[in-house]
Amino acid sequence: LDKVGIFMKVEILKALKESPQQYVSGQQLSRLLGVSRTAVWKYISELRQEGYQIESSSRKGYKLITSPDNLSAEEVLVNLHTSFLGKEIRYYETVSSTNNVAKEAAARGCMEGTVIIADRQESGKGRLGRHWVSPPKSGIWMSIVLRPKILPMQAPFITLLAAVAVSKAIEEIAQIKPGIKWPNDIVIHKKKVCGILTEISAEMEQVNYLVVGIGINVNFDISNFPDHIRETATSIKAETGTYVNRVELIVSLLEKFECLYSKAFDEKLRPQLMEEYKAYSVTLGNRVRAVSMNHAIEGYAEDITNDGELMIRTDDGKLHKIISGEVSVRGMYGYV
Ligand code: BTN
């Protein structure tokens, strides 16, 4: 991983973006970065290979014409304003699963907030051992490494916050309000656009690391999908009719997640964070069926506790606390 190269390219892009449609001289860039003009030229050619259209003139310098619609660490970093989340981004064109790459990085001691992004996954993983379809150029497949000082049983709460962050980001960038199906499916018009898979390495009384894997169906054309997926899944573009810039969505998501995550360990702020979650819930107030391990219950989704558990009132008046599992909501994903 060429960290220096990425840093240099980010600084060059920042400088070029600061003077839109104007030339920035090679000398200015070389002074800014503290490297030779030949080195500047080398980074510019790398940027061109990555899809940036940069005009050059031997007298005037360099001018950015267009940025690619590709995902890249540089594009995210240029726009990102966070203090630790996404300060290190590792971008891959193809991986098996970003969660697997993130787990390896975490085990080798990468810093908290490291983000793994891929354009495409060959064996994307969903919850409960399912497969997650992850085609190129059209989705966000990314994993975030966190090292919270919490008990393993508190980990699901972090995943709920990730769901809130994704929802807020979609609302901001795509201008449509999504819903969260408990615990952490994000839906638009009753179909799933995002799933989150958190994996954890822990001892009984301490978490070593969490990997929060987020998959968002952004721009893909859902009609290419097999029938069984099309009934329950969709993409942001399919629902809003407009193309969404993936970099903008990633930047917004990371900024919102950092903000929520930084409040997560203050007990006093939990109720407020859960209120934010509940405001997106499409589970609350509906008839639901919860299936866990070996039994199923059906009832009314009455509340979500400050630890994120779902409270279901069955018809006999009893209240049940659901910690994890699959919950179907009437009217969604084929439950009628
Ligand atoms: C679900 O089943 O709802 C969870 C889907 C999680 C998919 C994301 S895509 C990025 C990360 N890498 C994976 O292999 N899975 C998660």
Side-chain angles (χ1 to χ4, degrees):
L1 187 77
D2 176 15
K3 283 192 196 171
V4 176
I6 291 179
F7 173 80
M8 295 290 177
K9 286 185 272 183
V10 167
E11 291 306 311
I12 290 176
L13 286 173
K14 278 187 186 160
L16 294 181
K17 286 186 178 189
E18 256 169 40
S19 334
Q21 305 304 321
Q22 279 171 37
Y23 282 97
V24 180
S25 77
Q27 192 182 2
Q28 220 174 315
L29 290 173
S30 114
R31 230 184 298 127
L32 182 75
L33 302 175
V35 298
S36 69
R37 288 174 67 170
T38 321
V40 169
W41 175 82
K42 188 192 104 194
Y43 292 125
I44 295 273
S45 17
E46 284 183 21
L47 285 168
R48 282 192 179 129
Q49 271 164 23
E50 290 166 26
Y52 291 88
Q53 207 187 330
I54 299 171
E55 219 168 79
S56 59
S57 135
S58 51
R59 268 186 323 107
K60 292 184 272 182
Y62 303 100
K63 175 162 89 173
L64 180 62
I65 310 292
T66 56
S67 300
D69 172 43
N70 296 344
L71 284 182
S72 68
E74 289 91 345
E75 266 301 289
V76 175
L77 287 166
V78 169
N79 298 294
L80 190 67
H81 297 93
T82 53
S83 62
F84 79 96
L85 200 58
K87 281 293 162 191
E88 178 164 342
I89 295 184
R90 304 186 190 175
Y91 170 77
Y92 302 86
E93 227 160 74
T94 304
V95 293
S96 58
S97 149
T98 55
N99 267 30
N100 292 351
V101 176
K103 281 193 285 182
E104 274 165 37
R108 287 211 205 95
C110 74
M111 67 183 207
E112 167 159 63
T114 297
V115 172
I116 310 293
I117 303 177
D119 190 48
R120 153 172 183 258
Q121 297 185 114
E122 282 172 334
S123 28
K125 298 186 291 183
R127 289 172 66 221
L128 306 167
R130 293 183 191 129
H131 175 65
W132 184 261
V133 182
S134 321
K137 306 250 177 280
S138 49
I140 292 173
W141 324 124
M142 79 175 187
S143 301
I144 301 169
V145 177
L146 296 172
R147 302 182 184 281
K149 293 188 179 53
I150 55 170
L151 297 171
M153 57 181 256
Q154 294 169 308
F157 186 73
I158 306 293
T159 312
L160 299 187
L161 294 185
V164 175
V166 172
S167 304
K168 287 183 159 195
I170 291 177
E171 201 170 354
E172 177 179 281
I173 305 297
Q175 270 132 43
I176 187 166
K177 187 173 180 195
I180 304 177
K181 186 173 100 54
W182 188 89
N184 39 51
D185 280 3
I186 285 111
V187 299
I188 296 178
H189 301 147
K190 303 190 174 171
K191 288 185 175 181
K192 180 159 166 174
V193 286
C194 168
I196 302 177
L197 174 69
T198 296
E199 296 188 63
I200 172 169
S201 156
E203 290 154 37
M204 288 301 273
E205 60 290 325
Q206 113 182 0
V207 166
N208 300 323
Y209 60 81
L210 281 185
V211 164
V212 182
I214 301 175
I216 312 178
N217 304 339
V218 184
N219 290 319
F220 55 69
D221 188 357
I222 208 77
S223 60
N224 297 336
F225 273 58
D227 285 352
H228 70 279
I229 296 181
R230 220 183 320 155
E231 276 161 26
T232 56
T234 188
S235 73
I236 299 178
K237 181 166 172 242
E239 298 306 314
T240 61
T242 32
Y243 171 89
V244 172
N245 182 296
R246 287 180 296 164
V247 171
E248 283 179 28
L249 194 55
I250 292 173
V251 167
S252 170
L253 159 51
L254 292 175
E255 290 179 353
K256 297 200 159 36
F257 190 32
E258 179 175 279
C259 179
L260 293 161
Y261 181 75
S262 64
K263 295 181 190 156
F265 309 102
D266 184 339
E267 283 298 319
K268 289 195 296 292
L269 295 178
R270 278 203 163 209
Q272 178 205 318
L273 293 173
M274 280 316 297
E275 284 311 314
E276 294 204 48
Y277 176 89
K278 285 184 199 175
Y280 286 103
S281 180
V282 292
T283 303
L284 278 181
N286 282 307
R287 189 89 190 156
V288 298
R289 185 195 291 145
V291 182
S292 74
M293 294 305 177
N294 46 21
H295 74 290
I297 60 166
E298 221 175 292
Y300 172 79
E302 195 168 279
D303 198 10
I304 296 169
T305 68
N306 283 340
D307 293 322
E309 301 128 336
L310 182 66
M311 306 300 290
I312 300 179
R313 177 88 58 189
T314 41
D315 295 342
D316 57 9
K318 284 199 191 116
L319 202 53
H320 304 254
K321 192 195 265 182
I322 310 290
I323 296 166
S324 68
E326 286 284 275
V327 173
S328 322
V329 177
R330 180 169 282 177
M332 251 182 232
Y333 305 180
Y335 169 36
V336 283

